[in-house]
Amino acid sequence: MMDTSLISFRNVCKDYRMGAEIVHALSHVSLDIAEGEYVAVMGPSGSGKSTLMNLVGALDVPTSGDLIVHGLNLVEQESDTLADFRNRLIGYVFQQFNLLPRTSALENVKLPLFYSRDDKMGDMNEQAMRCLERVGLSDRMDHEPAQLSGGQQQRVAIARALVNNPSVILADEPTGALDTHTSMELLDLFQELNDSGITIIVVTHEKEVADVTRRKLIFRDGEVVDDISLTMHSAGA
Amino acid sequence: MKTLWKTVNIALVALRLNALRSFLTMLGIIIGIASVIVMVSVSSGSRQAVEQAINSLGTNMLTIRPGARMWGGRKSGAGSAAPFTEKDMAALRKRFDFIDDMSGRVETSAPVIFGNRNWTTSITGIHPAYIPVRQWVIEEGRNFTDRETRSGGKVAIVGQEIIENIFDGQSPIGLRIRIKNVPFTVIGTLREKGASGFGRSHDDVIFIPISTARMRISGKADRSVPNMVERIYLTIDPEFDMAFAQQELKEYIREMRKITPGAEDDFNVANYSEFIRARNESAATLGLLLAATAIIALVVGGIGIMNIMLVSVTERTREIGIRLAVGARRGDILMQFLVEAVTLCLIGSFFGVAIGLGSGTLISRLSNIPVLVNVPIIFVAIASAAFVGIFFGFYPARKASLMNPIDALRYE
Ligand SMILES: Nc1ncnc2c1ncn2[C@@H]1O[C@H](COP(=O)(O)OP(=O)(O)OP(=O)(O)O)[C@@H](O)[C@H]1O
Ligand SMILES: [Mg+2]
């Protein structure tokens, strides 16, 4: 298990200083996530779920401990190394979509390719269009975010997360702004992506979302209080 | 290269999304560059005109005339002092080796009649040496002979403007004209010199022998002063220093005219090209002032760019966060905003160059200020705009590039 882990937290702490007060967003978290896993992260508001995602995605750095993702210890890396890491290995899906406004769906999806340092990259347009097709939006390529529904915007965001063939997709409350029906469609999409081998970590408050995953991490006050694996259960079914 | 082009593209899109604001931001640059272009075009135009004027005068020419200081002087005793004569000329010629050529001049304005044409022009009585001294060239025919000059020959050399106006452009050699009812035979024509830059054309002129002018035309054959000349024109051997020659001439003429030491000169030895150069220097000072104004305009424009880029960086914090999240390096973000600032300046400078060239043309059309479009300055202007973009765009761009990804993404 240890050798095959893709993501490895070793005693990770993340503190935020708010004036004189120090908030322990994550305290002494140790956990492993293997390649190909589909993990739900749950817990009350303020329990450190987003903080965990930001650390895995190298958007932020731990205060202490070691965080190894895909063999790279994200603590004390050069900012360029982290940028390339985000570009190559990570796909983000945010609750608020975070698409560039007044920019077409296609251009939004192409954005990570623009910053790619991969020389043997194919045609950007073709790659981006394939990803839009994969999320079922090939007919909305030229639409700007304002001309798309919330579900469609989130699918553009997923296409963008996919375009660089990442090994991990991080989704922080991806269905938070969507209705139930759209959420279910999105979950099907995630399932498909996971089946194709991509590791997915999804933060959610919704039981329906968590139910489709095989593993649940429950957070409270910056600590993992429960780690439920359904592998055995589903194997037995 | 491909990446740079894409970055420029991103910049263009961003600028187009805020077209009005981008344009207003550019105004400072546009005005700055336009004024640089106009300023340089006008000043190099007048410099060229001055150089032409100096060349047409000849750089080693001096004039001697009676009267006090010629320019800006308090004295106006021009007519009162005793005139010079051919005798004085002979004395100078004998005394100084450095005199190359020397001619006297007597000038009047008089009507010229040919057939039914009547034209009033400048009738200039000269010695043959006047032609080379004043850089004239005989186009057709010949110069006066010494005999004609001494004995009042009724012969004339005419300028191109005269040929146009009274001979309808045909060769006038051998034709007869009447000046103040005296018949003259045209024996030569002058090559065109063009506009003088100071009013009327150089070419509107008729030369006749100086003795003829004195006796027949000007009415200036004062019996008490035989063989007077209004002015003496002379060229100095190029091996001699002009200032030295000028000084030597002055001292000797004082002696000739018996001016007591300490008394002021009652004559003037002038170097025209020096005078024109001096006038040009004040034009250069003006040019410097204008250049300073243009630089101030560019700096103000640059501050405008910096201000708007700072606003833009703050407004687009989330965009920066998104770009960082999908893998943009700090250098990519820095480049993006730098290119945006430079693009803004370059577009502004293109407008500025267009407006500058337009107003330069307009100025030369509406006034007689000579304007010369200076191609290198266009490139200098564009390059300085790019420099302004880099200089004033750097701080905002750096600020953008140093953002923390997660803070930028969370920015409201
Ligand atoms: N930039 C920050 N500065 C200060 N405190 C922060 C910052 N980000 C998070 N925190 C604090 O860290 C703790 C964990 O926040 P986090 O965003 O991880 O919670 P969460 O589990 O994602 O909550 P939610 O479900 O509401 O999104 C919270 O107490 C929060 O106030
Ligand atoms: Mg959260």
Side-chain angles (χ1 to χ4, degrees), chain B residues 357-367:
Chain B
L357 292 181
S359 20
T361 314
L362 210 66
I363 287 172
S364 69
R365 288 263 170 80
L366 297 183
S367 67

Side-chain angles (χ1 to χ4, degrees), chain A residues 61 72-82:
Chain A
V61 284
L72 185 74
N73 193 339
L74 299 185
V75 182
E76 286 170 8
Q77 291 290 346
E78 295 281 326
S79 83
D80 281 358
T81 313
L82 293 179

Side-chain angles (χ1 to χ4, degrees), chain A residues 16 50-51 54 58-60 79-80 83-84 86-87 90 92 94 96 98-102 111-112 114-115 117 124 160 164, chain B residues 2-3 6-7 10 13 17-18 318-319 321-333 336 404-407 409-410:
Chain A
Y16 290 109
S50 294
T51 305
N54 296 337
L59 291 175
D60 213 345
S79 83
D80 281 358
D84 294 349
R86 291 192 288 265
N87 185 254
I90 305 292
Y92 294 94
F94 303 94
Q96 321 82 330
N98 275 338
L99 299 175
L100 292 184
R102 292 184 287 186
L111 196 61
F114 179 71
Y115 295 113
R117 315 246 157 204
M124 284 198 190
R160 181 181 66 189
N164 261 357
Chain B
K2 208 170 135 197
T3 324
K6 283 197 174 130
T7 314
I10 291 177
V13 169
L17 289 177
N18 272 311
R318 255 185 114 88
E319 174 192 326
I322 293 168
R323 289 181 185 276
L324 288 170
V326 300
R329 292 184 178 185
R330 297 207 180 290
D332 295 327
I333 301 292
Q336 181 188 336
N404 183 10
I406 193 67
D407 293 340
L409 271 173
R410 286 227 190 98

Side-chain angles (χ1 to χ4, degrees), chain A residues 14-18 23-26 41-54 60 95 172-173 203-205 219 222, chain B residues 406-407 410:
Chain A
K14 178 68 191 178
D15 300 336
Y16 290 109
R17 195 179 297 275
M18 295 286 288
V23 180
H24 301 286
L26 285 183
V41 179
M42 301 191 75
S45 186
S47 57
K49 307 181 295 293
S50 294
T51 305
L52 175 91
M53 300 292 267
N54 296 337
D60 213 345
Q95 180 176 355
D172 194 348
E173 301 190 44
V203 171
T204 185
H205 287 293
F219 274 76
Chain B
I406 193 67
D407 293 340
R410 286 227 190 98

